Amino acid sequence: MTMRSMSLSIFFVFFVFAVVHEGLHVHGPSGPVVAQLGGSVLLPCFIVNPLPLEGLQVEWRKMGSYSIINHFQQGKSRPDLQSQLFRGRVDFFPDELTKGNFSILLKNVVEEDAGGYRCQINTTQDSSEVQMEIKNIRSLVVMGVDRAIFADGGQDVTLNCSVDSHVPISEIEEVTWKKIDRDQDILVLLYQDSEIFPDSSHERYQGRVEFFSSEIPKGNFSLKLRDVKVEDKGEFMCEVHTRNMSGHTIVLLQGVGFSAHHIAVLVLCSVTLLFAIGFCGPVFIVLRKKVASKKDMKRHIFLILCPNICMFMTFCLWSTEGILSEVIACSIVSIMRPVILMKTSSYLGILPQCLKKAVKALAIPLYHSMITLAACSIFFGNLARIQIASGHIVTILAVLVVVISISAVVLAVYGLQMHLTICLEIFNLALLGILLSNSNSNFDYSFEIASVITPQIIGMMVVLSLQRHLFQGKPFGRVYIAVSSIILTLVSLCTISVYILLSITMKDFAKAWVLLFESVLYLFAWLVVIYLLCCHQTHRRGCCSQWRKIGYLCCSIIVAFLIIACGAGSFHYVNIIMEDKDHAGYLALIALVHVLAAACLFKHPKYLPGLLHTMTYMFGAVGLSTINAIALATELILKAVKGTRNIEDLRVIVLPLETVFLIAWLALQIYDAWMRLKDRIKRNFEDEKTARPETVPETEHLSNPHPDPHPDESEVISKL
């Protein structure tokens, strides 16, 4: 063989080897493969020049464990050789095998699938392989925005949230937007089973949030938040759920600026402080000097009107941030406080005669009626949504509230203080019934409340009647009998109505029999009282002075105990039954209205300790409005900083302070009554030599040593 022919032979051999080697060169991915947890991932393995299937073997293994993922031989798959870990999760592409594509699809990816993989191809002449790695197994990728969002109060803002485009929209089962709060996450908006549920939103976001419906098919679940508020500041979370995967993203809403309403609230709080502090010193000096000129009276009027009017306007503006019950209660208290301040002032005597009479008689009843009606009005709109029996009960209570509010004004005008107190206590019971009927309380509590608190009120009226007419010897006239009988009959009819409704609803007329028995007992007890008092008035002898003294003191103790028991019972039932987030505010309201009812037992006092009277008045005129303004401004500023409310209900500040002020006034009334009557009580109850003892005013009717232009109850009755 010549050198030329030998060279050609060697070249041919190398050429054939190169062609064969090129045909077995296996291609794979250029880098690590990224998989989604619970999803599917393609592992590429192919050759450029297809090979015949005869004598061809393809083997997929997981490196490290050497588990066989799949084995392909002689044109057929060998599932019997497949590892249990991958059985049922691996698919070939049969139509692509003849084209040299030996890729596999790994389904339902789990965290253990991470690692290296090898695809090896063997022929009768040669073999080749390619290696690859599944490096990251991620859950469902939900993308938001990588920076904080800033907005001014009252503006609209978009919170971004989108899903990877590889996830079909049909596989997304649920998308929820939540506001991450310190106590619990608040649901902002819900998308479920291809439907948006705006009614599922928390009341804070009702009507303020929406999706971009046209963008949802593209996987865009961004949220539009309208009318941004200070409390919206903070983190919002967008959660996306499919059948096998879930993911979320956090969007930070930061730097929510003050709106025009917020600025107005801060300005009014500042003006309130200026008025209260500015007039505090001059008015205090005038009160200590006990001299009041026209100029001084203007200062008094400015002090009680300007700060409270400003706070009324402030709480009205606070309606954009606060809850309705909170705004209404605080606003009513602020606008009615000047009337109470006029009644507790030391300059009431120099006011015009008609104004003085009106303030003395109507200040507390009007204050009580306004705040109670305001509290009840919130629930009157819910009657259609209350179950039938409770709805009828609330309707009865609503009618009772209106009737009693009108009756209270009439009784106050005619100076019937004892009946006024009883009416206000019934008013408080009706308020309690309305509050609890709108909660999730059951019917057992309804007749329990009626059977426990109602007898205390009726007992209060009986004891006061005995104290006034039996132990004090005051006339028991027809008007008095008529008014007391009307009140008792009204209460009995309402109790019987509640009994009938509850019995029909529970289908058990025996369970609530106590209510029916008590209603009959009320009428019987009142008839006995009428008989005893008429006999006592006819014989005009009565018992000795010592026993009258003991009876009088016992009646006073019993009345005080019953008033405290009514308040404590109402407080207890509201605390254990009401489940609303603002039940703390209603607890404060219950305490306030019961103190107001107790204060109606007394007429306006004449003789008060100067310093204590001045301090009480200044606390009401300056302290209350100042603390309210500071609390409201602080709450708004802290809310802007933290994004959440620090005090869920401002009533827990406003109403307890108001109650403390009225308790101080009640204590002054009791002190005045004791100081004015102790000597007279001693004479009347211990001087048995007198043919006809001097009549002692009862607790609720304080006689004055000087003529009082306000008519006494006995005078009214005699005139009628």
Side-chain angles (χ1 to χ4, degrees):
M1 181 180 292
T2 63
M3 184 64 69
R4 180 181 178 81
S5 60
M6 186 179 292
S7 299
L8 290 173
S9 298
I10 294 172
F11 176 77
F12 179 75
V13 171
F14 277 103
F15 176 76
V16 172
F17 177 78
V19 171
V20 173
H21 183 74
E22 176 67 19
L24 287 179
H25 181 69
V26 184
H27 298 273
S30 58
V33 178
V34 177
Q36 300 288 338
L37 186 66
S40 301
V41 61
L42 180 67
L43 300 178
C45 177
F46 61 92
I47 58 177
V48 176
N49 298 320
L51 296 174
L53 298 181
E54 296 181 2
L56 180 67
Q57 292 184 359
V58 180
E59 185 178 77
W60 276 91
R61 286 182 180 270
K62 190 174 189 301
M63 299 173 66
S65 65
Y66 296 100
S67 301
I68 296 177
I69 300 175
N70 210 342
H71 189 86
F72 183 83
Q73 186 177 8
Q74 300 294 336
K76 295 182 179 180
S77 179
R78 296 286 304 275
D80 56 309
L81 300 177
Q82 192 177 44
S83 173
Q84 184 67 31
L85 181 63
F86 296 98
R87 188 163 296 176
R89 295 200 299 132
V90 178
D91 286 339
F92 267 106
F93 299 96
D95 297 338
E96 297 292 322
L97 296 177
T98 57
K99 302 177 184 179
N101 185 3
F102 305 104
S103 303
I104 61 172
L105 182 67
L106 180 61
K107 300 181 294 184
N108 298 328
V109 175
V110 294
E111 293 182 359
E112 291 77 8
D113 293 335
Y117 292 81
R118 184 179 67 186
C119 174
Q120 184 177 5
I121 300 177
N122 299 316
T123 66
T124 56
Q125 298 176 347
D126 205 350
S127 66
S128 182
E129 67 179 33
V130 66
Q131 296 180 1
M132 64 200 72
E133 180 184 9
I134 298 180
K135 190 173 184 180
N136 296 320
I137 298 180
R138 299 183 296 179
S139 59
L140 181 66
V141 177
V142 182
M143 296 171 290
V145 61
D146 57 357
R147 58 182 177 81
I149 299 176
F150 295 85
D152 293 329
Q155 291 184 342
D156 298 345
V157 67
T158 299
L159 308 180
N160 296 319
C161 175
S162 58
V163 185
D164 278 348
S165 58
H166 76 279
V167 180
I169 189 64
S170 58
E171 294 185 6
I172 298 178
E173 296 181 349
E174 182 179 285
V175 178
T176 57
W177 273 97
K178 296 179 181 178
K179 173 69 165 61
I180 302 177
D181 210 344
R182 60 182 179 181
D183 297 328
Q184 60 180 356
D185 294 341
I186 299 174
L187 181 60
V188 178
L189 192 57
L190 173 65
Y191 171 89
Q192 192 175 54
D193 298 330
S194 303
E195 187 177 356
I196 302 173
F197 295 90
D199 293 337
S200 64
S201 301
H202 188 271
E203 60 181 6
R204 184 192 301 180
Y205 295 100
Q206 286 281 347
R208 297 176 52 218
V209 291
E210 63 180 357
F211 284 119
F212 297 91
S213 301
S214 60
E215 296 292 320
I216 290 180
K218 304 175 185 178
N220 184 1
F221 291 93
S222 297
L223 181 75
K224 183 177 182 181
L225 176 61
R226 295 191 296 270
D227 188 20
V228 174
K229 298 182 179 181
V230 175
E231 61 187 6
D232 295 332
K233 179 182 178 181
E235 294 181 339
F236 289 80
M237 181 171 62
C238 174
E239 287 184 325
V240 182
H241 300 271
T242 65
R243 185 172 61 88
N244 300 312
M245 297 180 292
S246 64
H248 71 273
T249 185
I250 302 293
V251 180
L252 178 61
L253 181 59
Q254 193 174 24
V256 178
F258 287 133
S259 66
H261 283 83
H262 301 148
I263 296 174
V265 167
L266 293 177
V267 170
L268 286 172
C269 287
S270 301
V271 173
T272 300
L273 292 176
L274 290 176
F275 276 123
I277 297 175
F279 287 104
C280 175
V283 170
F284 182 78
I285 294 173
V286 171
L287 290 175
R288 295 302 296 162
K289 291 181 178 179
K290 299 181 180 180
V291 178
S293 62
K294 290 184 178 180
K295 184 178 180 181
D296 296 328
M297 286 302 302
K298 290 181 180 179
R299 291 175 180 174
H300 282 291
I301 298 301
F302 276 117
L303 178 62
I304 66 174
L305 287 181
C306 295
N308 289 293
I309 291 176
C310 289
M311 286 309 303
F312 170 76
M313 298 170 61
T314 303
F315 281 116
C316 290
L317 292 175
W318 181 248
S319 59
T320 58
E321 301 291 336
I323 56 179
L324 180 61
S325 55
E326 169 193 29
V327 172
I328 290 179
C330 295
S331 300
I332 293 296
V333 167
S334 297
I335 201 63
M336 292 299 296
R337 188 180 295 133
V339 179
I340 297 295
L341 290 174
M342 292 179 65
K343 180 177 177 62
T344 59
S345 65
S346 59
Y347 56 83
L348 179 61
I350 64 176
L351 293 178
Q353 192 70 15
C354 58
L355 180 60
K356 181 173 67 173
K357 287 183 178 181
V359 170
K360 283 184 176 182
L362 300 177
I364 292 181
L366 284 179
Y367 185 86
H368 181 280
S369 300
M370 289 293 294
I371 192 171
T372 311
L373 287 174
C376 295
S377 64
I378 299 174
F379 299 103
F380 290 162
N382 300 334
L383 290 178
R385 294 183 292 177
I386 303 175
Q387 49 187 312
I388 297 176
S390 296
H392 290 320
I393 292 175
V394 174
T395 303
I396 293 173
L397 295 176
V399 174
L400 183 63
V401 162
V402 175
V403 172
I404 292 178
S405 60
I406 297 174
S407 302
V409 174
V410 175
L411 294 173
V413 169
Y414 284 98
L416 304 176
Q417 304 297 115
M418 188 195 80
H419 296 92
L420 175 60
T421 299
I422 300 301
C423 277
L424 294 187
E425 286 292 352
I426 298 173
F427 207 156
N428 296 339
L429 178 60
L431 171 63
L432 176 63
I434 292 174
L435 293 180
L436 300 183
S437 297
N438 283 270
S439 65
N440 296 325
S441 58
N442 54 33
F443 292 115
D444 292 337
Y445 280 115
S446 299
F447 73 78
E448 180 181 334
I449 292 170
S451 61
V452 171
I453 297 183
T454 306
Q456 297 174 358
I457 298 175
I458 299 300
M460 194 185 309
M461 187 177 74
V462 170
V463 173
L464 287 173
S465 299
L466 292 175
Q467 182 191 53
R468 173 186 172 85
H469 302 289
L470 184 61
F471 299 113
Q472 293 181 337
K474 287 205 170 185
F476 189 56
R478 288 173 294 179
V479 173
Y480 183 90
I481 297 175
V483 174
S484 301
S485 300
I486 290 172
I487 293 176
L488 189 139
T489 304
L490 184 63
V491 173
S492 299
L493 290 176
C494 289
T495 305
I496 293 173
S497 301
V498 172
Y499 161 75
I500 295 173
L501 289 174
L502 292 178
S503 300
I504 293 175
T505 303
M506 295 185 297
K507 299 179 180 179
D508 186 0
F509 283 86
K511 190 171 184 179
W513 65 271
V514 176
L515 296 180
L516 187 61
F517 174 76
E518 287 181 351
S519 300
V520 177
L521 187 62
Y522 299 155
L523 298 174
F524 177 76
W526 182 241
L527 291 176
V528 171
V529 170
I530 292 176
Y531 175 76
L532 291 176
L533 294 179
C534 289
C535 291
H536 172 73
Q537 187 171 359
T538 301
H539 296 295
R540 287 288 182 182
R541 289 188 177 182
C543 53
C544 65
S545 60
Q546 184 64 26
W547 284 106
R548 289 193 295 112
K549 175 182 177 180
I550 295 175
Y552 177 84
L553 294 177
C554 289
C555 288
S556 300
I557 295 173
I558 293 173
V559 169
F561 172 78
L562 290 175
I563 291 176
I564 295 173
C566 286
S570 301
F571 194 89
H572 168 72
Y573 285 115
V574 172
N575 187 44
I576 65 173
I577 297 177
M578 286 196 69
E579 300 176 355
D580 297 337
K581 64 179 182 180
D582 55 350
H583 84 285
Y586 286 111
L587 290 176
L589 177 64
I590 290 295
L592 175 62
V593 294
H594 279 281
V595 172
L596 286 170
C600 284
L601 277 173
F602 300 87
K603 279 189 175 181
H604 187 80
K606 291 289 185 179
Y607 305 102
L608 296 174
L611 180 60
L612 292 178
H613 188 193
T614 301
M615 296 304 296
T616 300
Y617 172 76
M618 293 302 294
F619 174 71
V622 178
L624 294 180
S625 56
T626 300
I627 296 174
N628 293 345
I630 293 175
L632 184 55
T634 304
E635 174 65 22
L636 182 58
I637 294 172
L638 291 178
K639 191 176 179 183
V641 174
K642 297 182 179 180
T644 57
R645 290 195 62 169
N646 295 272
I647 303 174
E648 293 295 332
D649 194 340
L650 285 174
R651 285 180 297 177
V652 300
I653 293 179
V654 175
L655 299 185
L657 288 174
E658 200 78 14
T659 304
V660 170
F661 167 62
L662 290 169
I663 288 176
W665 175 246
L666 179 60
L668 290 177
Q669 289 179 302
I670 296 173
Y671 171 83
D672 174 77
W674 173 250
M675 294 302 295
R676 289 167 51 196
L677 298 177
K678 64 177 182 178
D679 294 334
R680 192 176 300 175
I681 290 175
K682 184 177 180 180
R683 280 198 312 271
N684 285 339
F685 287 141
E686 294 183 357
D687 188 6
E688 297 183 6
K689 297 180 180 180
T690 306
R692 186 172 181 177
E694 183 180 356
T695 301
V696 182
E698 75 279 26
T699 304
E700 71 272 19
H701 274 287
L702 304 181
S703 301
N704 300 321
H706 305 289
D708 189 352
H710 195 73
D712 186 66
E713 180 178 345
S714 58
E715 297 174 358
V716 174
I717 295 176
S718 61
K719 291 180 181 179
L720 294 176

